[in-house]
Amino acid sequence: MWHKTIAGLLSGLIVMILVPSSISLLFPNYIGVVLALGLIFALSAWAGVMTWCYAADNSKQAWLRAAKASVPTVIIFIGIFFTAAGPTV
């Protein structure tokens, strides 16, 4: 049970932090709106990822589900981080 909980917590946290951050990097002029909406939707996404991991049959399947949720999010964030232009002054 603890493996499922930790897998869901960690992968959900990664998704919750990196998705709004990625969107705010793409739209720097609307950072307030993006972060406010991101907070609402990211908490729901975190709960969804935790539920999906917790519904796994065993701990290996829970960690695989966690990887399916968090690895693409990390790759997309890294790609946006290194390719998005910084703020212009």
Side-chain angles (χ1 to χ4, degrees):
M1 286 295 210
W2 283 106
H3 291 285
K4 296 177 187 180
T5 305
I6 293 171
L9 281 171
L10 291 178
S11 63
L13 183 65
I14 289 170
V15 170
M16 182 183 167
I17 291 173
L18 293 184
V19 169
S21 299
S22 299
I23 297 171
S24 69
L25 285 173
L26 291 174
F27 302 108
N29 294 335
Y30 302 107
I31 194 164
V33 174
V34 167
L35 293 179
L37 290 175
L39 183 63
I40 294 168
F41 293 119
L43 284 171
S44 301
W46 190 4
V49 170
M50 286 182 62
T51 304
W52 189 44
C53 289
Y54 198 71
D57 293 330
N58 54 29
S59 62
K60 181 180 178 182
Q61 186 181 19
W63 282 104
L64 287 173
R65 289 181 179 188
K68 286 180 185 178
S70 60
V71 170
T73 305
V74 170
I75 291 170
I76 290 169
F77 176 77
I78 290 172
I80 291 172
F81 182 79
F82 285 116
T83 58
T88 56
V89 179

